[in-house]
Amino acid sequence: DRVALGNDEWNPWEEDEKNELAAAQQRYEAVLKMIKNTRSHLEQSSLRVQIWGKAAIGLYLWQHIFGGHLEPPDVTAQWREGSQKAGKTYFSFITGPSVVPGYFSVEAENVVLVLNGREKAKITYATQWLHYAQTLIQTRKIRRVAVVLLGNEQCNNEWIRPYLRRNGGFVNLLFLTYDYAFVNEEDIFQWPLGVATYRNFPVVEPSWSMLHDPRSYLCNFLGTVYKNSSRETLMEILKQDGLDKLCWIAAREQWQPQETNESFKNYQDALLQSDLTLCPVGINTECYRIYEACSYGSLPVIEDVMTPGDCGNSSMYHSAPLQLLKTMGAPFIFIKNWKELPAVLEKEKNLSLQEKIQRRKKLIEWYQNFKAWMRQKFINTLENSFLPNDKG
């Protein structure tokens, strides 16, 4: 029924097929366009952030707050890295002595610089990193920078302020330890000191025995006793009525930056074997001991007084010190004077094991929630600041 025209066959449905083919092509192109738009939107709404860990608090951020891993696991390795997706953000983390300005691959437009600004020599080193980041912004290698800073214990952090965007600099966000008076929850945020990762304090997983076993000591204090400090008062009070016999006390006259394996093991055992950890003020009220005690379910007893310096000198800090921990409802014992300690220990003697178990569970759960909250706040703050706003 077909009419042969030369070598071509006549097809009465050819027009319909052409139309169908054209329509299919249009549908295909529409789908491609939709996929492309979706991918483009996903790329816009997701963030890549590279964290450069050039201070030990970077390990607290990555391993303790983010629960991230590092390869290789060896803490003495020259180069360590890890990555994870969180919220809309893909985070990569690098640390180690080999992470040197200009000698590693910059793999994201957004950078978090983790720096130490505690003393003059550290500030000089931190400034070199800030200048490197500034050069990368000027040459459009990166677009945005946030800084996590181990601040000065007396809150003398004025050197960092000219680098903030609000003051004509390039740093979008600053996360800073201690009760810094200029924390405003807009571009300057308080950040927890955390545990002493420079002494390789581990991420502690709570065990059944940690929660349920009786502990041998009412309290512990292992640390330096400075001349004419409240720590001397604490030692005198502990010696009264033999309270030091009920607690694990190991006082020294000079601060030791590095632990021996034996002294570190003793410290961990003291936290694990004590119901309370005494936290007298040092140069600052906030100390690693607070967070390390929480890790082992040993309740911190904190000397709740401001230390000399520029911390918390603003109306916002009416309940300073430890504003961040107090705001988060830390279930600690706060005392104004160590003369209150005998009454605290007397009450402790009368607690049942069941009451202590419930308290440990509450403390460890609070600490886990605190770290999760800090992680979420960090992610949200970066995304709110770094992602383009989708208006309408």
Side-chain angles (χ1 to χ4, degrees):
D1 296 302
R2 291 186 175 180
V3 179
L5 296 172
N7 291 330
D8 295 329
E9 289 188 341
W10 176 61
N11 181 356
W13 298 282
E14 187 174 13
E15 201 61 36
D16 291 343
E17 285 176 358
K18 275 183 182 173
N19 291 341
E20 180 56 37
L21 196 64
Q25 184 69 24
Q26 282 178 338
R27 284 198 300 271
Y28 174 68
E29 285 173 2
V31 169
L32 270 185
K33 191 175 181 182
M34 189 176 74
I35 290 170
K36 195 174 178 182
N37 287 344
T38 304
R39 187 177 294 157
S40 167
H41 182 70
L42 277 172
E43 283 168 359
Q44 283 173 11
S45 65
S46 62
L47 207 57
R48 292 184 73 85
V49 173
Q50 193 175 29
I51 305 173
W52 303 345
K54 295 311 298 177
I57 56 164
L59 295 176
Y60 184 69
L61 165 69
W62 186 252
Q63 295 182 305
H64 294 252
I65 288 182
F66 268 73
H69 298 285
L70 288 174
E71 291 295 335
D74 177 12
V75 296
T76 63
Q78 290 290 301
W79 176 283
R80 303 176 77 200
E81 61 186 305
S83 62
Q84 68 168 265
K85 181 88 165 60
K88 298 175 184 174
T89 307
Y90 176 81
F91 288 95
S92 57
F93 182 92
I94 54 171
T95 190
S98 288
V99 181
V100 178
Y103 288 88
F104 64 92
S105 175
V106 179
E107 293 175 355
E109 287 189 325
N110 308 288
V111 165
V112 175
L113 253 176
V114 187
L115 301 171
N116 184 338
R118 185 168 271 187
E119 62 208 33
K120 206 167 183 180
K122 303 291 187 187
I123 291 168
T124 302
Y125 183 65
T127 303
Q128 291 171 0
W129 275 96
L130 285 165
H131 289 166
Y132 175 58
Q134 189 172 24
T135 302
L136 292 177
I137 281 185
Q138 288 165 347
T139 55
R140 304 188 190 283
K141 298 281 197 316
I142 61 175
R143 291 178 64 190
R144 303 175 196 89
V145 173
V147 171
V148 177
L149 181 65
L150 175 64
N152 175 270
E153 287 173 282
Q154 295 188 324
C155 297
N156 302 323
N157 301 309
E158 292 307 291
W159 68 273
I160 190 76
R161 292 183 71 197
Y163 293 97
L164 301 182
R165 186 172 287 278
R166 65 163 54 223
N167 298 323
F170 63 93
V171 174
N172 297 71
L173 303 167
L174 175 63
F175 300 86
L176 184 59
T177 58
Y178 305 119
D179 294 283
Y180 188 49
F182 291 96
V183 166
N184 55 23
E185 294 295 316
E186 293 169 15
D187 61 339
I188 305 175
F189 303 85
Q190 190 168 351
W191 191 250
L193 178 64
V195 302
T197 51
Y198 70 92
R199 290 202 299 252
N200 302 322
F201 193 91
V203 177
V204 180
E205 296 297 334
S207 64
W208 192 91
S209 62
M210 185 195 294
L211 290 169
H212 294 88
D213 285 357
R215 299 194 174 189
S216 308
Y217 300 92
L218 282 186
C219 70
N220 75 77
F221 174 67
L222 285 73
T224 313
V225 178
Y226 304 105
K227 288 284 181 201
N228 305 316
S229 72
S230 64
R231 297 184 177 198
E232 283 191 329
T233 310
L234 171 60
M235 289 298 115
E236 288 165 16
I237 286 164
L238 281 168
K239 282 170 187 164
Q240 290 170 17
D241 306 324
L243 292 174
D244 56 338
K245 304 287 189 293
L246 305 173
C247 296
W248 186 326
I249 306 298
R252 58 189 180 216
E253 289 183 8
Q254 278 193 316
W255 180 69
Q256 290 177 320
Q258 295 300 327
E259 298 278 2
T260 63
N261 287 341
E262 185 184 4
S263 69
F264 188 57
K265 173 82 167 60
N266 278 345
Y267 177 55
Q268 287 177 294
D269 285 347
L271 295 175
L272 189 57
Q273 290 299 322
S274 309
D275 288 304
L276 304 174
T277 292
L278 308 182
C279 303
V281 297
I283 301 172
N284 193 286
T285 312
E286 188 175 7
C287 60
Y288 298 116
R289 190 190 319 273
I290 294 169
Y291 300 90
E292 292 164 352
C294 289
S295 300
Y296 281 99
S298 181
L299 192 73
V301 180
I302 294 174
E303 185 181 3
D304 188 20
V305 297
M306 285 300 292
T307 44
D310 296 325
C311 297
N313 294 333
S314 85
S315 57
M316 198 179 158
Y317 285 92
H318 56 277
S319 59
L322 306 178
Q323 183 70 14
L324 179 61
L325 294 171
K326 287 175 181 173
T327 302
M328 291 301 295
F332 305 158
I333 296 173
F334 292 98
I335 61 177
K336 292 293 182 188
N337 191 304
W338 288 113
K339 289 174 184 172
E340 299 170 46
L341 184 62
V344 170
L345 294 181
E346 196 56 43
K347 187 179 175 186
E348 195 65 23
K349 286 181 199 172
N350 297 320
L351 286 182
S352 68
L353 177 59
Q354 198 53 43
E355 286 172 312
K356 290 178 179 180
I357 289 169
Q358 289 310 312
R359 187 177 65 188
R360 285 176 211 161
K361 286 180 177 176
K362 182 183 174 186
L363 175 63
I364 285 172
E365 184 182 3
W366 173 84
Y367 184 48
Q368 288 174 335
N369 288 339
F370 172 77
K371 290 188 288 186
W373 186 84
M374 291 309 305
R375 176 179 183 266
Q376 200 54 51
K377 182 178 182 181
F378 186 76
I379 294 164
N380 290 350
T381 304
L382 288 181
E383 289 179 353
N384 290 340
S385 176
F386 289 0
L387 279 175
N389 289 323
D390 293 328
K391 297 269 164 75

